[in-house]
Amino acid sequence: MCRVVDLKQAVLAKNAGAAHALRTALTARGTTVVNLLSSPGSGKTALLERELGLARGRGLPVAALTADLATENDATRLARSGVPVKQVLTDGLCHLEAAMLGRHLDGWLPEDTRLLFVENVGNLVCPASYDLGESLRVVLASVTEGEDKPLKYPTAFGLAQLVVVTKADLAQAAEFDEAAFRANVQQVNPGVDVLLTSARTGRGAGLLLDRALAAGDGSAVHVPVMAAQQHAPQHGHGHGQEPGQDQGQGHGPGHSHADHGHGHGHGQDQVRAHGPADRPAPGDHRPAPAPAR
């Protein structure tokens, strides 16, 4: 008798187990992971750079890992904040997975790190299905992307625990309808908070940092309806994980990457992190010690 195996669910189940293990290990050492998802060009790097600078100014031990298909441009920018930064090049892979993240953190992430910001690959499709062991999942959209963005990407926005609008300083020029955007967000994710920010003017500065700290301190985090539905017994646990695996995050209604024509094999570590093993210091941006305050 031949057995039909749902590879999509198998991959997501494997990822769910890795995410649970990573979340447990990092939580035990006091590190909270924040997973940032957005389209390319949303402005998340600029916003993150500002938030990292604020964190360092407060004396908070934070770090950032950024993933891109190519270049170390984002890591170079984020390193200006003075916190530990690592660039991961995915060589075409459209997202990060929990096991990959864990391997790149091993031996690099400072032990006293309180917050780890993960800037996922710019993509609102593939990353939405993969829990990275985060305690807070944030989806960002700029005012220039249109008010209907949440409706076009209901999975990404539907699983967000926080939605951040960027480039708010351009809202008038872009004729951004804030009320319509908020209504569309609530349509796919009732009850989730929406924050408006501008890295240029400083509007909303520190709000993302405060939400991340609150999540790490045990404050209630929004549970998306979509996530709750996926993990209901009649839905087979959403990720395809076995009973007893981590179901608290609710991230990732699986989608088939075959639909997107990707030729890579998911669930395998195909990313490479630039660091001392490759050549002196690229990709692993270690800051100089902060001056005594």
Side-chain angles (χ1 to χ4, degrees):
M1 174 182 295
C2 98
R3 181 184 176 192
V4 177
V5 178
D6 187 336
L7 294 180
K8 174 179 66 177
Q9 290 301 322
V11 168
L12 292 176
K14 181 179 179 180
N15 184 79
H20 172 71
L22 183 59
R23 182 180 297 109
T24 299
L26 291 176
T27 299
R29 58 183 266 181
T31 300
T32 298
V33 177
V34 181
N35 186 7
L36 304 176
L37 295 84
S38 79
S39 300
S42 68
K44 66 178 178 295
T45 304
L47 178 63
L48 181 55
E49 183 182 354
R50 177 179 280 271
E51 297 296 294
L52 294 176
L54 289 173
R56 189 166 191 254
R58 295 186 196 178
L60 295 170
V62 301
L65 181 145
T66 181
D68 280 302
L69 276 66
T71 82
E72 295 183 5
N73 295 347
D74 286 355
T76 300
R77 291 175 59 186
L78 295 178
R80 297 185 304 206
S81 66
V83 309
V85 175
K86 187 171 189 177
Q87 178 78 57
V88 171
L89 300 183
T90 66
D91 291 329
L93 192 63
C94 62
H95 64 279
L96 289 174
E97 297 178 13
M100 298 174 186
L101 178 62
R103 283 191 286 273
H104 292 300
L105 297 182
D106 188 27
W108 168 75
L109 188 67
E111 284 294 330
D112 66 343
T113 303
R114 186 169 176 188
L115 294 176
L116 170 64
F117 289 92
V118 177
E119 185 180 17
N120 219 315
V121 180
N123 184 342
L124 282 177
V125 181
C126 309
S129 292
Y130 289 84
D131 183 356
L132 297 182
E134 67 261 26
S135 295
L136 182 65
R137 175 176 286 209
V138 183
V139 175
L140 304 90
S142 69
V143 298
T144 59
E145 294 178 63
E147 298 83 2
D148 61 348
K149 198 79 172 186
L151 302 182
K152 290 181 176 179
Y153 298 91
T155 298
F157 283 89
L159 291 173
Q161 293 170 300
L162 179 66
V163 173
V164 174
V165 177
T166 59
K167 305 183 184 182
D169 54 300
L170 299 178
Q172 184 174 358
E175 299 184 347
F176 177 68
D177 187 336
E178 181 183 342
F181 179 84
R182 289 181 178 274
N184 290 335
V185 169
Q186 295 305 313
Q187 183 174 328
V188 299
N189 192 346
V192 70
D193 285 344
V194 177
L195 307 179
L196 265 66
T197 67
S198 169
R200 175 174 294 178
T201 67
R203 178 177 180 177
L207 292 179
L208 175 59
L209 182 60
D210 290 341
R211 290 300 186 97
L213 289 170
D217 290 339
S219 296
V221 175
H222 173 68
V223 178
V225 172
M226 183 181 292
Q229 291 174 340
Q230 288 170 357
H231 293 299
Q234 65 269 26
H235 286 255
H237 304 290
H239 281 293
Q241 65 263 57
E242 296 299 324
Q245 285 186 331
D246 183 30
Q247 301 176 25
Q249 296 300 303
H251 299 150
H255 70 276
S256 173
H257 289 273
D259 296 338
H260 308 299
H262 299 310
H264 48 258
H266 298 287
Q268 298 177 5
D269 188 3
Q270 299 187 19
V271 298
R272 53 190 172 91
H274 284 186
D278 296 320
R279 60 186 188 271
D284 187 350
H285 298 258
R286 292 281 185 170
R293 298 180 62 84

